[in-house]
């Protein structure tokens, strides 16, 4: 067991998130941002991961698998053995489904898409937009998922998700009962999208400061946490830009310079819980 684990994770939304999560399906400009991720960003990320011989985890919507099979095949066929797990079929925010059957159908379609590519059923899930509906957890159990990576109740350690929690406005919070689904937590603080993705309200962060924050978060974990797992989330259409690729490569080199650090998959970390 390494002193510290690093899980580099890639949410390969391509155009799906612009169609299904942001209500901007008619925006050619935004769709082209997704195409940048497919044609430019993903190959750049794969090249860096290859150069550093790093295994990573890609969360790929079924929509991306079916729209851009060659790009996803390049991830799966890459020599470093990247893992591919579930990220919805349509990248619909779970809380916006009209009912449970609609959400179930999308999850099932996403499973079929990944099975068609990899030949095996995905066991890991990352919710589009990192949120659950009131049905998501029971659907993950129904389909035999073993872990999720979209929640935030710890920073560096996996834990078991709970169901049946209650959050009334006029009574104390009830945590609910533990399930057997492991959570490998994410953080908005280690996600390239909130920091860098341009929208009308945001997107001009001090880039160097963000990468320095990511480095200092790892340094704190390494010094203070036993067997911690550092999860960084990136999107090819965001991280794939020239200046960020350079920063990412420097960050990877810095993390590699610490003794006894293992770059591994989310699946490997979840299976140790
Ligand atoms: Zn996504």
């Amino acid at each position: 067991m390494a002193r510290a684990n690093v899980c580099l994770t890639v949410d390969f939304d391509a155009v799906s998130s612009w169609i299904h999560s942001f209500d901007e399906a008619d925006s050619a400009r935004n769709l082209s941002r997704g195409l940048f991720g497919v044609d430019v960003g993903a190959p750049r990320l794969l090249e860096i991961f290859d150069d550093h011989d790093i295994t990573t985890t890609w969360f790929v919507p079924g929509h991306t698998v079916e729209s851009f099979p060659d790009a996803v095949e390049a991830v799966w066929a890459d020599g470093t053995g990247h893992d591919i797990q579930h990220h919805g079929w349509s990248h619909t925010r779970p809380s916006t489904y009209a009912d449970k059957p609609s959400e179930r159908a999308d999850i099932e379609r996403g499973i079929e898409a990944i099975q068609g590519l990899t030949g095996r059923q995905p066991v890991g899930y990352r919710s589009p937009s990192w949120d659950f509906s009131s049905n998501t957890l029971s659907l993950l159990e129904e389909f035999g998922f073993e872990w999720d990576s979209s929640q935030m109740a710890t920073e560096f350690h996996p834990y078991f998700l709970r169901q049946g929690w209650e959050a009334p406005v006029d009574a104390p919070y009830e945590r609910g009962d533990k399930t057997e689904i492991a959570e490998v937590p994410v953080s908005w603080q280690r996600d390239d999208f909130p920091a860098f993705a341009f929208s009308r309200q945001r997107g001009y962060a001090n880039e160097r400061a963000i990468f320095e924050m990511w480095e200092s978060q790892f340094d704190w974990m390494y010094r203070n946490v036993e067997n911690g797992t550092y999860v960084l989330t990136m999107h090819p259409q965001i991280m794939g830009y020239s200046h960020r690729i350079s920063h990412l490569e420097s960050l990877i080199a810095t993390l590699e310079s610490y003794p006894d650090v293992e770059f591994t998959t989310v699946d490997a970390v979840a299976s140790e819980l």
Side-chain angles (χ1 to χ4, degrees), residues 108-233:
E108 194 163 23
R109 194 175 176 188
I111 291 172
E112 289 167 0
I114 290 177
Q115 272 180 326
L117 173 75
T118 66
R120 57 108 175 96
Q121 176 147 343
V123 295
Y125 178 74
R126 173 167 284 171
S127 158
S129 302
W130 289 358
D131 210 354
F132 281 9
S133 75
S134 57
N135 298 312
T136 304
L137 193 49
S138 65
L139 287 170
L140 297 184
E141 288 181 317
E142 183 180 316
F143 285 109
F145 282 92
E146 296 171 7
W147 56 267
D148 171 75
S149 183
S150 347
Q151 304 289 304
M152 313 178 184
T154 64
E155 187 172 9
F156 299 121
H157 288 117
Y159 62 97
F160 286 108
L161 287 172
R162 289 169 178 265
Q163 64 183 356
W165 53 267
E166 292 180 29
V169 295
D170 57 354
Y173 182 75
E174 292 286 344
R175 295 177 75 110
D177 301 317
K178 271 187 188 174
T179 68
E180 293 184 351
I181 295 184
E183 173 62 38
V184 180
V186 291
S187 169
W188 293 125
Q189 312 303 319
R190 277 192 295 284
D191 178 356
D192 60 357
F193 209 94
F196 298 144
F198 175 78
S199 74
R200 301 290 178 216
Q201 294 84 31
R202 64 173 190 220
Y204 281 114
N206 179 336
E207 308 244 348
R208 190 177 299 276
I210 299 295
F211 281 90
E212 285 174 357
M213 176 182 74
W214 289 342
E215 189 178 320
S216 68
Q217 288 168 339
F218 177 81
D219 182 72
W220 190 93
M221 181 190 86
Y222 189 87
R223 286 185 293 104
N224 295 284
V225 174
E226 201 63 44
N227 193 36
T229 295
Y230 175 96
V231 178
L232 180 69
T233 299

Side-chain angles (χ1 to χ4, degrees), residues 5-6 13 24 30 56 60 79 85-86 99 103 109 114 125-126 138 158-159 161 175 203 208 210 237 250 256 264 266:
N5 298 311
V6 174
D13 302 337
E24 296 186 69
N30 281 341
T56 64
V60 187
Q85 298 289 352
H86 201 288
D99 51 36
E103 186 174 0
R109 194 175 176 188
I114 290 177
Y125 178 74
R126 173 167 284 171
S138 65
Y159 62 97
L161 287 172
R175 295 177 75 110
R208 190 177 299 276
I210 299 295
Q237 59 187 284
S250 299
E256 285 176 326
T264 188
V266 179

Side-chain angles (χ1 to χ4, degrees), residues 11-13 16-17 59 61 87 91 126-129 235:
D11 293 4
F12 199 2
D13 302 337
S16 67
S17 53
F59 296 95
H87 195 38
H91 206 283
R126 173 167 284 171
S127 158
S129 302
H235 300 71

Side-chain angles (χ1 to χ4, degrees), residues 30 39 53 72 90 110 116 126 183 244 250 266 271:
N30 281 341
D39 296 331
D53 199 20
V72 184
S90 63
R126 173 167 284 171
E183 173 62 38
R244 294 185 195 128
S250 299
V266 179
S271 64

